[in-house]
Each structure stands twice: as structure tokens, then as C-alpha cells.
Tab-separated table of all heavy atoms in Angstrom:
chain	number	residue	atom	x	y	z
A	1	SER	N	2.609	-1.784	-6.603
A	1	SER	CA	2.649	-0.517	-5.821
A	1	SER	C	3.904	-0.463	-5.043
A	1	SER	O	4.433	-1.446	-4.538
A	1	SER	CB	1.388	-0.469	-4.904
A	1	SER	OG	1.437	0.719	-4.128
A	2	VAL	N	4.413	0.700	-4.923
A	2	VAL	CA	5.590	1.035	-4.078
A	2	VAL	C	5.406	2.308	-3.384
A	2	VAL	O	4.937	3.298	-4.013
A	2	VAL	CB	6.910	1.007	-4.868
A	2	VAL	CG1	6.964	1.952	-6.007
A	2	VAL	CG2	8.116	1.171	-3.895
A	3	MET	N	5.593	2.425	-2.170
A	3	MET	CA	5.428	3.596	-1.387
A	3	MET	C	6.578	3.855	-0.348
A	3	MET	O	7.186	2.856	0.080
A	3	MET	CB	4.085	3.562	-0.548
A	3	MET	CG	2.802	3.460	-1.392
A	3	MET	SD	2.428	5.085	-2.044
A	3	MET	CE	1.040	4.714	-3.045
A	4	GLU	N	6.830	5.074	-0.068
A	4	GLU	CA	7.883	5.409	0.981
A	4	GLU	C	7.265	6.222	2.124
A	4	GLU	O	6.269	6.833	1.934
A	4	GLU	CB	8.987	6.231	0.298
A	4	GLU	CG	9.822	5.558	-0.726
A	4	GLU	CD	10.866	6.428	-1.245
A	4	GLU	OE1	10.657	7.270	-2.087
A	4	GLU	OE2	12.072	6.237	-0.796
A	5	ASP	N	7.866	6.068	3.213
A	5	ASP	CA	7.453	6.847	4.428
A	5	ASP	C	8.492	6.776	5.467
A	5	ASP	O	9.385	5.831	5.488
A	5	ASP	CB	6.130	6.294	5.003
A	5	ASP	CG	5.441	7.201	6.068
A	5	ASP	OD1	5.841	7.174	7.199
A	5	ASP	OD2	4.607	7.942	5.537
A	6	VAL	N	8.522	7.680	6.377
A	6	VAL	CA	9.581	7.655	7.438
A	6	VAL	C	9.327	6.438	8.365
A	6	VAL	O	10.223	5.947	9.033
A	6	VAL	CB	9.536	8.899	8.279
A	6	VAL	CG1	8.175	9.033	9.106
A	6	VAL	CG2	10.776	9.090	9.156
A	7	GLY	N	8.064	5.879	8.456
A	7	GLY	CA	7.795	4.789	9.273
A	7	GLY	C	7.503	3.485	8.386
A	7	GLY	O	6.849	3.581	7.356
A	8	ARG	N	8.079	2.440	8.887
A	8	ARG	CA	7.901	1.182	8.094
A	8	ARG	C	6.416	0.782	8.002
A	8	ARG	O	5.874	0.376	6.966
A	8	ARG	CB	8.714	0.087	8.784
A	8	ARG	CG	10.192	0.227	8.644
A	8	ARG	CD	11.013	-0.750	9.490
A	8	ARG	NE	10.729	-0.578	10.867
A	8	ARG	CZ	10.042	-1.365	11.674
A	8	ARG	NH1	9.535	-2.523	11.121
A	8	ARG	NH2	9.811	-1.214	12.903
A	9	HIS	N	5.724	0.976	9.128
A	9	HIS	CA	4.348	0.541	9.161
A	9	HIS	C	3.491	1.473	8.291
A	9	HIS	O	2.585	1.021	7.564
A	9	HIS	CB	3.749	0.612	10.616
A	9	HIS	CG	4.600	-0.135	11.562
A	9	HIS	ND1	5.605	0.572	12.336
A	9	HIS	CD2	4.695	-1.429	11.943
A	9	HIS	CE1	6.168	-0.319	13.132
A	9	HIS	NE2	5.635	-1.527	12.887
A	10	ASN	N	3.869	2.734	8.184
A	10	ASN	CA	3.101	3.664	7.328
A	10	ASN	C	3.242	3.339	5.939
A	10	ASN	O	2.403	3.417	5.102
A	10	ASN	CB	3.593	5.060	7.605
A	10	ASN	CG	3.296	5.575	8.976
A	10	ASN	OD1	2.506	5.021	9.693
A	10	ASN	ND2	3.931	6.676	9.370
A	11	ALA	N	4.509	2.915	5.521
A	11	ALA	CA	4.794	2.538	4.127
A	11	ALA	C	3.838	1.344	3.708
A	11	ALA	O	3.343	1.350	2.580
A	11	ALA	CB	6.280	2.211	3.870
A	12	VAL	N	3.820	0.385	4.615
A	12	VAL	CA	2.971	-0.797	4.326
A	12	VAL	C	1.533	-0.410	4.211
A	12	VAL	O	0.829	-0.817	3.285
A	12	VAL	CB	3.184	-1.849	5.430
A	12	VAL	CG1	2.127	-2.996	5.207
A	12	VAL	CG2	4.527	-2.451	5.375
A	13	ASP	N	0.987	0.386	5.129
A	13	ASP	CA	-0.381	0.829	5.097
A	13	ASP	C	-0.709	1.560	3.748
A	13	ASP	O	-1.758	1.477	3.154
A	13	ASP	CB	-0.672	1.774	6.254
A	13	ASP	CG	-0.919	0.963	7.529
A	13	ASP	OD1	-1.212	-0.287	7.494
A	13	ASP	OD2	-0.663	1.509	8.646
A	14	LYS	N	0.289	2.466	3.324
A	14	LYS	CA	0.073	3.189	2.064
A	14	LYS	C	-0.030	2.233	0.901
A	14	LYS	O	-0.866	2.440	-0.046
A	14	LYS	CB	1.254	4.082	1.842
A	14	LYS	CG	1.217	5.393	2.814
A	14	LYS	CD	2.413	6.319	2.443
A	14	LYS	CE	2.359	7.566	3.357
A	14	LYS	NZ	3.498	8.410	3.077
A	15	VAL	N	0.819	1.193	0.860
A	15	VAL	CA	0.717	0.206	-0.194
A	15	VAL	C	-0.623	-0.419	-0.236
A	15	VAL	O	-1.243	-0.657	-1.292
A	15	VAL	CB	1.895	-0.835	-0.154
A	15	VAL	CG1	1.619	-1.979	-1.038
A	15	VAL	CG2	3.227	-0.131	-0.580
A	16	VAL	N	-1.029	-0.921	0.936
A	16	VAL	CA	-2.330	-1.654	1.038
A	16	VAL	C	-3.469	-0.716	0.594
A	16	VAL	O	-4.353	-1.055	-0.177
A	16	VAL	CB	-2.639	-2.123	2.459
A	16	VAL	CG1	-3.978	-2.679	2.552
A	16	VAL	CG2	-1.534	-3.182	2.774
A	17	GLY	N	-3.533	0.560	1.010
A	17	GLY	CA	-4.500	1.454	0.658
A	17	GLY	C	-4.448	1.755	-0.909
A	17	GLY	O	-5.465	1.835	-1.500
A	18	ASP	N	-3.255	1.822	-1.472
A	18	ASP	CA	-3.118	2.144	-2.922
A	18	ASP	C	-3.700	0.877	-3.679
A	18	ASP	O	-4.453	1.067	-4.657
A	18	ASP	CB	-1.699	2.315	-3.200
A	18	ASP	CG	-1.447	2.643	-4.730
A	18	ASP	OD1	-2.285	3.433	-5.294
A	18	ASP	OD2	-0.466	2.124	-5.364
A	19	LEU	N	-3.425	-0.285	-3.238
A	19	LEU	CA	-4.046	-1.510	-3.890
A	19	LEU	C	-5.504	-1.531	-3.733
A	19	LEU	O	-6.209	-2.032	-4.701
A	19	LEU	CB	-3.342	-2.732	-3.262
A	19	LEU	CG	-1.855	-2.933	-3.474
A	19	LEU	CD1	-1.377	-4.175	-2.734
A	19	LEU	CD2	-1.535	-3.056	-4.977
A	20	LEU	N	-6.008	-1.105	-2.596
A	20	LEU	CA	-7.470	-1.142	-2.458
A	20	LEU	C	-8.093	-0.206	-3.404
A	20	LEU	O	-9.194	-0.420	-4.022
A	20	LEU	CB	-7.911	-0.817	-0.972
A	20	LEU	CG	-7.589	-1.838	0.020
A	20	LEU	CD1	-7.736	-1.291	1.473
A	20	LEU	CD2	-8.540	-3.034	-0.189
A	21	PHE	N	-7.523	1.044	-3.545
A	21	PHE	CA	-8.080	2.119	-4.448
A	21	PHE	C	-8.120	1.553	-5.924
A	21	PHE	O	-8.922	1.957	-6.618
A	21	PHE	CB	-7.301	3.396	-4.313
A	21	PHE	CG	-7.729	4.207	-3.173
A	21	PHE	CD1	-6.787	4.677	-2.218
A	21	PHE	CD2	-9.002	4.555	-2.971
A	21	PHE	CE1	-7.144	5.465	-1.146
A	21	PHE	CE2	-9.428	5.370	-1.908
A	21	PHE	CZ	-8.491	5.861	-0.999
A	22	LYS	N	-7.036	0.808	-6.216
A	22	LYS	CA	-6.890	0.266	-7.558
A	22	LYS	C	-7.523	-1.117	-7.771
A	22	LYS	O	-7.388	-1.730	-8.851
A	22	LYS	CB	-5.394	0.194	-7.950
A	22	LYS	CG	-4.755	1.647	-7.962
A	22	LYS	CD	-3.389	1.617	-8.537
A	22	LYS	CE	-2.378	0.808	-7.733
A	22	LYS	NZ	-0.991	0.922	-8.228
A	23	ASN	N	-8.142	-1.599	-6.735
A	23	ASN	CA	-8.795	-2.981	-6.764
A	23	ASN	C	-7.795	-4.056	-7.160
A	23	ASN	O	-8.128	-4.947	-7.923
A	23	ASN	CB	-10.008	-2.966	-7.774
A	23	ASN	CG	-11.146	-2.042	-7.319
A	23	ASN	OD1	-11.459	-2.042	-6.091
A	23	ASN	ND2	-11.713	-1.249	-8.216
A	24	GLN	N	-6.637	-3.906	-6.548
A	24	GLN	CA	-5.610	-4.901	-6.929
A	24	GLN	C	-5.054	-5.653	-5.695
A	24	GLN	O	-4.081	-6.418	-5.858
A	24	GLN	CB	-4.296	-4.207	-7.620
A	24	GLN	CG	-4.667	-3.631	-8.974
A	24	GLN	CD	-3.412	-2.958	-9.587
A	24	GLN	OE1	-2.606	-2.330	-8.834
A	24	GLN	NE2	-3.326	-3.126	-10.901
A	25	LEU	N	-5.672	-5.557	-4.568
A	25	LEU	CA	-5.109	-6.191	-3.360
A	25	LEU	C	-5.141	-7.676	-3.512
A	25	LEU	O	-4.164	-8.287	-3.100
A	25	LEU	CB	-5.998	-5.784	-2.120
A	25	LEU	CG	-5.472	-6.273	-0.795
A	25	LEU	CD1	-4.045	-5.748	-0.531
A	25	LEU	CD2	-6.360	-5.841	0.282
A	26	LYS	N	-6.109	-8.261	-4.107
A	26	LYS	CA	-6.137	-9.718	-4.279
A	26	LYS	C	-5.036	-10.245	-5.202
A	26	LYS	O	-4.719	-11.417	-5.202
A	26	LYS	CB	-7.556	-10.196	-4.695
A	26	LYS	CG	-8.645	-9.985	-3.737
A	26	LYS	CD	-9.966	-10.566	-4.248
A	26	LYS	CE	-11.060	-10.406	-3.170
A	26	LYS	NZ	-12.322	-10.958	-3.586
A	27	GLN	N	-4.515	-9.329	-6.008
A	27	GLN	CA	-3.454	-9.729	-6.962
A	27	GLN	C	-2.058	-9.771	-6.231
A	27	GLN	O	-1.170	-10.419	-6.772
A	27	GLN	CB	-3.359	-8.784	-8.112
A	27	GLN	CG	-4.722	-8.755	-9.022
A	27	GLN	CD	-4.551	-7.726	-10.073
A	27	GLN	OE1	-3.438	-7.498	-10.674
A	27	GLN	NE2	-5.618	-7.157	-10.541
A	28	ALA	N	-1.979	-9.166	-5.143
A	28	ALA	CA	-0.737	-9.023	-4.398
A	28	ALA	C	-0.312	-10.389	-3.819
A	28	ALA	O	-1.039	-10.933	-3.010
A	28	ALA	CB	-0.807	-7.902	-3.396
């Protein structure tokens, strides 16, 4: 997953959320 945002913390949160939706967080 790769995400962009004006805030660094937001970009990280978006990636984590994306991985959760795709059930891939444990693979990261």
C-alpha cells in the first residue's frame, strides 16, 4: 500500500487503514 497526504501522520494512518481493509496488515 502507498498513500499520500499533506500530513505525515495522516499518510501513515491511511496506509494502516488500507491494509486493514485488505486484511494485509500482518503481512507488512
Side-chain angles (χ1 to χ4, degrees):
S1 177
V2 58
M3 294 285 177
E4 290 183 284
D5 194 276
V6 69
R8 291 171 297 110
H9 310 94
N10 295 345
V12 171
D13 284 337
K14 287 181 177 180
V15 165
V16 173
D18 185 41
L19 295 176
L20 287 170
F21 279 126
K22 296 190 294 189
N23 294 317
Q24 292 182 326
L25 185 58
K26 290 185 178 180
Q27 298 177 31

